[in-house]
Amino acid sequence: FSLTQDYPHPVQRVWRAWTEPKEMAIWFWGGMTKNAEASRDLRPNGHWRVSIDYAGDADWPAGRIGMLGFYVTIRPMEELIYTVHWDANVVYNLGRTDCPDELIRVRFEDLDGQCRVQYEHSGFADDGHSIQGHRDGTLDVLAHLGKHLTAHP
């Protein structure tokens, strides 16, 4: 799926929020964020990780869960491509060890001092509900990014 989101902040500010661990920890899990920790090695093949404490629900058990991966392409202020591997029991990887990594491409476009983010996400199961679940989760995450940027310009 693809999403486009405009932010009334410069590209440099949005890029920093997307790539600095202290900032990633604040918004990367959206409304699920609790005791977040983030790390990254911002270079091709460098690893990234954002983890949280999770209270649990019908799909995920309580405990420490995370997203992690490696950077494929880094074009500062223009584009990030990175993999996502779930260190969590998302519905389609329950009981599986062969779940493939997902791929995210984020493009940052300057619109007269504001930033347009074009977000593409692929590589998850086509099981009738994973796309919608990922899309809904991403909309929440992008909304939290906007709140973070507004609170910390």
Side-chain angles (χ1 to χ4, degrees):
F1 69 91
S2 299
L3 297 170
T4 300
Q5 180 69 49
D6 293 340
Y7 295 101
H9 305 279
V11 168
Q12 296 85 350
R13 177 65 190 101
V14 178
W15 175 268
R16 190 171 73 235
W18 213 290
T19 59
E20 289 298 323
K22 285 183 179 181
E23 296 202 46
M24 292 165 63
I26 294 169
W27 66 269
F28 212 86
W29 275 89
M32 296 171 57
T33 301
K34 184 174 180 182
N35 298 322
E37 295 177 356
S39 62
R40 63 99 171 119
D41 180 6
L42 191 61
R43 62 186 173 90
N45 295 317
H47 287 85
W48 68 273
R49 178 183 184 88
V50 182
S51 61
I52 61 170
D53 288 336
Y54 189 63
D57 65 22
D59 292 329
W60 288 352
R64 193 84 186 157
I65 61 174
M67 288 183 275
L68 58 128
F70 65 89
Y71 294 104
V72 177
T73 301
I74 302 165
R75 293 181 21 212
M77 310 315 154
E78 294 179 21
E79 181 180 52
L80 275 177
I81 300 176
Y82 54 93
T83 66
V84 174
H85 181 83
W86 292 91
D87 186 10
N89 289 324
V90 293
V91 173
Y92 57 87
N93 77 355
L94 286 172
R96 294 181 58 191
T97 58
D98 63 342
C99 190
D101 287 348
E102 299 165 23
L103 189 68
I104 294 178
R105 178 182 185 201
V106 185
R107 288 179 287 165
F108 303 83
E109 180 184 353
D110 178 48
L111 299 175
D112 295 322
Q114 299 188 39
C115 182
R116 170 166 289 161
V117 169
Q118 296 175 343
Y119 179 98
E120 300 171 20
H121 193 150
S122 62
F124 41 82
D126 185 11
D127 58 10
H129 69 272
S130 290
I131 291 174
Q132 190 61 48
H134 278 77
R135 184 179 182 82
D136 292 347
T138 300
L139 288 168
D140 176 58
V141 166
L142 294 177
H144 275 78
L145 171 59
K147 290 175 188 175
H148 169 67
L149 292 168
T150 298
H152 305 280

